[in-house]
């Protein structure tokens, strides 16, 4: 299958749209969800935090065209994780600095890896379509 500009544009738009249900799922899981989801009981809580924020940051970075807004999106996702940890203290769950560190440890590589994938594709296919 040959990659072309419209396909990459549609993938970026789909990524941007699917980002919001993913954020909603993470927010619900952190505030209202069980401490350990039934299907993932054997997985360490910190691994779940790291993976969730890796995916969120990768989706946000991949959906944005430029590097600057992608960096701001990753910072926003890290801040979201911190705010959710604070809110957990008010809804009967335990706040944890280690959860926020796991969130950050997932978000930063997620954003970087997404940009490593997106930048070369954007440079190659975002050129003038007449070329």
């Amino acid at each position: 299958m040959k990659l072309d500009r419209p396909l990459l544009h549609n993938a970026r738009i789909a990524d941007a749209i699917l980002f919001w249900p993913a954020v909603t799922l993470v927010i619900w899981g952190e505030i209202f969800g069980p401490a350990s989801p039934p299907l993932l009981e054997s997985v360490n809580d910190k691994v779940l935090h790291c993976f969730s924020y890796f995916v969120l940051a990768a989706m946000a970075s991949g959906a944005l065209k430029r590097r600057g807004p992608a960096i701001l999106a990753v910072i926003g996702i890290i801040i979201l994780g911190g705010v959710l940890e604070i809110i957990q203290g008010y809804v009967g769950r335990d706040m944890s600095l280690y959860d926020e560190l796991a969130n950050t440890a997932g978000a930063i590589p997620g954003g970087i890896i997404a940009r490593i994938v997106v930048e070369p594709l954007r440079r190659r296919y975002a050129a003038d379509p007449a070329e």
Side-chain angles (χ1 to χ4, degrees), residues 37-48:
L39 295 174
L40 302 171
E41 288 174 348
S42 64
V43 179
N44 186 328
D45 175 57
K46 304 309 178 250
V47 173
L48 293 175

Side-chain angles (χ1 to χ4, degrees), residues 4 16 18-19 24 29 33 40 44 53-54 64 76 78 81 84 86 98 101 104-105 107-109 121-122 127-128:
D4 57 355
L18 293 174
F19 171 78
T24 304
L40 302 171
N44 186 328
Y53 282 82
F54 178 92
L64 296 168
I78 292 169
L84 290 174
I86 292 168
Y98 295 116
L101 291 174
T104 303
I108 292 172
L121 292 173
R122 186 185 63 76
D128 183 21

Side-chain angles (χ1 to χ4, degrees), residues 6-22 59 62-63:
L7 176 66
L8 292 173
H9 175 74
N10 291 339
R12 187 180 61 77
I13 297 300
D15 182 23
I17 292 169
L18 293 174
F19 171 78
W20 295 107
M59 289 180 77

Side-chain angles (χ1 to χ4, degrees), residues 81-95:
V83 169
L84 290 174
E85 287 301 319
I86 292 168
I87 291 172
Q88 282 181 356
Y90 293 104
V91 296
R93 297 194 55 187
D94 293 330
M95 289 190 293

Side-chain angles (χ1 to χ4, degrees), residues 19-20 22-23 26-27 30 49-62 64 69-85 99-100 102-108 110-111:
F19 171 78
W20 295 107
V23 168
V26 168
I27 292 171
E30 286 213 28
H49 277 271
C50 189
F51 178 73
S52 298
Y53 282 82
F54 178 92
V55 170
L56 287 181
M59 289 180 77
S61 293
L64 296 168
I71 292 170
L72 292 177
V74 171
I75 291 169
I77 289 168
I78 292 169
I79 292 170
L80 172 68
V83 169
L84 290 174
E85 287 301 319
D99 284 350
E100 178 56 19
N103 297 346
T104 303
I108 292 172

Side-chain angles (χ1 to χ4, degrees), residues 6 14 28 31 38 45 51 61 64-65 67 82 89 97 100 116 124:
W28 178 86
I31 296 177
D45 175 57
F51 178 73
S61 293
L64 296 168
K65 287 183 177 181
R67 190 177 308 145
L97 176 62
E100 178 56 19
I116 287 172
R124 182 170 181 183

